[in-house]
Amino acid sequence: MKTPLAWKNLVHNKVRTSIGVAGVSFAVILIFMQLGFLGGIIHTATQIYDALEFDLMLRSPAYLHLTEARSFPRSRVLQAASLSEVAEARSFYLGLSEWQAPASVPAVESAKTSEAIEEEGDWRAIITMGTDPKDPVFNRQEINDEARKLSDSTFVLVDVKSKSEYGPADDEKFSETDIGVETTLGPHRVRIVGLFELGTGMASNGACLTNPEGYVRACPWQTIDDVNFGLIKLKDPSEAELVRQKLLSIYGIPSRDEKSTFSLTAAALTNTDVEILTRQQALDREEHRWVHETPLGQIFTLGVWVALFVGVAIVYQVLSTDIANMMGEYATLKAMGYGAKYLTKVVLLQAVLLAVVGYIPSIIVSWGLYRLVEKLSGMPMNMTPGIAALVLALAITMCVLSGLAALRKLYQADPADLF
C-alpha cells in the first residue's frame, strides 16, 4: 500500500495545517457570502415578477426597473384581450409612494383626537401595487384570497416582510394585531385590512397592495387609464412568441433582433407607447439591469475575485513554507529516484486536500451567516446546491493555483544539498 504522503505532510505539523485550513476557510466564506449577496440581488430583483401570473408582459418602452416602470395606455391591454389566444389580459399598477408609520396607540383611540395623528412615525418610501380585487394578478392563491378584501380604495394589505421601520404594532413584524390600524399612504388615510407575504424590492424595504382606485389615491400623479404593466395569460403558453408577434403587428411595432435588446435605449423606442416581452425576457432583463448595469451586482462579482486572490495568497504561503521546511525530505526523495512528476502530484494533492478540509467548516459557517443576514436585512440568501458546488470548485481551483505557484520551491530541492 502506498503511503499517503500528501496527507502525512498535512498532519505532520498540525499548527501550520490549522493555520492553512483557517486561511482557506476564510477565503471560502468570503466567496460564499459574495455569491450569496449576488444571488440575493437577483432573487430580490425578480421576486415580484415571480409572483405574477403572466405569459406575456406589456410595459412602457421607457421602463427603467420595477419601481421606475413608467406607464402606458390601458387601452393596449384591452386590445390584447381581443385575441382569441388570450385567456386573460389584466392591468397591474406598481410604483413608489410614501407610507407613514402608524401611531403606537390603538387605532380606535388614534381616531379620537387630532393629536394622535401627530404621534405617528416617520415617512418611508413603500412599494405600492394595485390589482383588481375581483380578478387578482398573482399566481399564489393565498395572496389572491387576501386581495379580494380590497373592496374599497381606502383598504390596503401590508407585506409581512416589510421592515419594522414601517410601524408594526409590536415594533418587529406586521401581524394580525395590525389589522384595522389606520395610517397615511401618499396624501390620504388608509386602513390595513389584511396581510400578505411576498417580499420587498431593491428600491424599498416595505410593500403594500391596494385596488386600482387606491393606487391612484396613493400615487396621484398617475391616472387609472395609465397602467404600469399589462399581464397577459395565454390559453396555450407555448404560443407566447406567436402571440407576441401578433401584438407587435396590431400595435404597429417593428420587430427587433432580441440579441440587442439589452442595449436598446428608451430614446430608440419613442415611436411606440408599449413593448411586449415574454416571461423569460422580462426576468432576464430585470436580472441584467441589477447585476450588470448597477454597482451592486458588479461589486459582489468583484468581491468573488478578491476573495479568490486572498485565498491563493494564503494557501501559497502555507504550501511554500511547508515545502521550505521539508526541503531535506524532498531532496531525499529525489535521491531515492522519485521524479519531479511524482513530487508535483504530492504537492497538488496536498493543495486539494487543504481545499476540501477547509471547505467543510466554511459551508457550515456560511449557512449560518446566510440565515443571519436574511433575518437582519430581509434579503433572501439561499444556499443552493449550485452555489455549494461552484464554491467547492472555486476552492479547489484556488488551492491548485497556489500549489502550482509553490512548485518553484520544490524544484529547487537538490540531493547534493544533503552532503
Side-chain angles (χ1 to χ4, degrees), residues 24-216:
V24 172
S25 298
F26 176 73
V28 172
I29 289 172
L30 284 179
I31 297 172
F32 263 122
M33 296 309 296
Q34 300 303 316
L35 289 176
F37 287 132
L38 188 60
I41 289 174
I42 295 172
H43 182 81
T44 301
T46 60
Q47 65 185 347
I48 293 180
Y49 277 173
D50 291 336
L52 298 175
E53 186 176 45
F54 68 94
D55 299 304
L56 289 174
M57 172 182 285
L58 306 182
R59 69 184 193 187
S60 168
Y63 178 97
L64 183 60
H65 55 78
L66 187 66
T67 53
E68 286 287 344
R70 317 298 167 83
S71 61
F72 64 93
R74 187 173 60 163
S75 59
R76 294 304 195 185
V77 182
L78 301 179
Q79 284 179 289
S82 66
L83 291 181
S84 59
E85 296 91 347
V86 174
E88 290 182 285
R90 295 172 287 190
S91 300
F92 184 58
Y93 302 80
L94 189 150
L96 283 179
S97 187
E98 293 290 322
W99 171 276
Q100 188 175 28
S104 57
V105 295
V108 175
E109 295 181 15
S110 68
K112 293 180 181 179
T113 63
S114 60
E115 290 79 12
I117 296 178
E118 295 176 359
E119 295 177 5
E120 294 183 341
D122 295 333
W123 290 86
R124 305 282 182 182
I126 188 170
I127 294 174
T128 305
M129 297 173 282
T131 185
D132 183 353
K134 296 178 182 178
D135 189 18
V137 299
F138 298 96
N139 55 23
R140 300 181 189 176
Q141 189 59 43
E142 66 276 11
I143 300 180
N144 288 337
D145 290 342
E146 288 293 307
R148 293 188 175 92
K149 297 177 181 179
L150 300 172
S151 57
D152 192 278
S153 61
T154 62
F155 292 170
V156 297
L157 307 178
V158 178
D159 193 333
V160 296
K161 290 189 175 181
S162 299
K163 296 297 182 57
S164 58
E165 63 203 49
Y166 288 84
D170 61 1
D171 293 325
E172 293 184 5
K173 183 179 181 180
F174 283 96
S175 63
E176 297 292 332
T177 58
D178 293 287
I179 295 178
V181 171
E182 292 187 1
T183 187
T184 305
L185 176 63
H188 299 287
R189 300 291 290 177
V190 294
R191 176 180 296 175
I192 300 173
V193 297
L195 307 169
F196 69 102
E197 184 173 348
L198 177 56
T200 58
M202 300 298 297
S204 175
N205 289 324
C208 66
L209 179 65
T210 184
N211 63 24
E213 293 77 13
Y215 176 85
V216 173

Side-chain angles (χ1 to χ4, degrees), residues 118-374:
E118 295 176 359
E119 295 177 5
E120 294 183 341
D122 295 333
W123 290 86
R124 305 282 182 182
I126 188 170
I127 294 174
T128 305
M129 297 173 282
T131 185
D132 183 353
K134 296 178 182 178
D135 189 18
V137 299
F138 298 96
N139 55 23
R140 300 181 189 176
Q141 189 59 43
E142 66 276 11
I143 300 180
N144 288 337
D145 290 342
E146 288 293 307
R148 293 188 175 92
K149 297 177 181 179
L150 300 172
S151 57
D152 192 278
S153 61
T154 62
F155 292 170
V156 297
L157 307 178
V158 178
D159 193 333
V160 296
K161 290 189 175 181
S162 299
K163 296 297 182 57
S164 58
E165 63 203 49
Y166 288 84
D170 61 1
D171 293 325
E172 293 184 5
K173 183 179 181 180
F174 283 96
S175 63
E176 297 292 332
T177 58
D178 293 287
I179 295 178
V181 171
E182 292 187 1
T183 187
T184 305
L185 176 63
H188 299 287
R189 300 291 290 177
V190 294
R191 176 180 296 175
I192 300 173
V193 297
L195 307 169
F196 69 102
E197 184 173 348
L198 177 56
T200 58
M202 300 298 297
S204 175
N205 289 324
C208 66
L209 179 65
T210 184
N211 63 24
E213 293 77 13
Y215 176 85
V216 173
R217 289 176 81 246
C219 305
W221 53 85
Q222 188 172 332
T223 69
I224 203 165
D225 289 324
D226 295 318
V227 302
N228 304 104
F229 298 96
L231 304 179
I232 302 173
K233 181 181 178 183
L234 303 178
K235 295 176 181 177
D236 183 0
S238 66
E239 296 182 341
E241 186 57 36
L242 173 65
V243 177
R244 178 176 175 274
Q245 293 300 324
K246 281 190 176 182
L247 288 174
L248 288 173
S249 177
I250 291 173
Y251 297 153
I253 303 174
S255 182
R256 291 181 173 85
D257 181 7
E258 288 303 319
K259 294 180 180 179
S260 62
T261 52
F262 287 150
S263 62
L264 289 177
T265 62
L269 298 169
T270 52
N271 61 317
T272 63
D273 56 11
V274 68
E275 67 174 346
I276 312 163
L277 304 176
T278 64
R279 185 180 188 90
Q280 192 58 51
Q281 286 170 344
L283 294 173
D284 289 345
R285 290 199 191 184
E286 197 70 15
E287 179 180 327
H288 183 272
R289 162 67 186 171
W290 289 103
V291 174
H292 300 287
E293 296 181 357
T294 65
L296 284 174
Q298 296 174 16
I299 287 171
F300 293 127
T301 301
L302 179 62
V304 174
W305 291 105
V306 171
L308 279 172
F309 177 79
V310 170
V312 168
I314 292 173
V315 177
Y316 170 76
Q317 290 297 326
V318 172
L319 291 177
S320 62
T321 301
D322 184 74
I323 291 173
N325 292 335
M326 302 181 68
M327 191 66 76
E329 287 82 350
Y330 282 118
T332 302
L333 288 174
K334 278 191 173 182
M336 294 171 61
Y338 289 95
K341 184 178 179 180
Y342 171 79
L343 298 180
T344 298
K345 286 183 179 179
V346 169
V347 172
L348 294 182
L349 181 56
Q350 187 174 337
V352 171
L353 289 173
L354 198 59
V356 173
V357 173
Y359 176 84
I360 295 172
S362 300
I363 191 172
I364 297 172
V365 173
S366 297
W367 184 88
L369 290 174
Y370 274 33
R371 303 284 72 77
L372 179 62
V373 170
E374 187 170 16

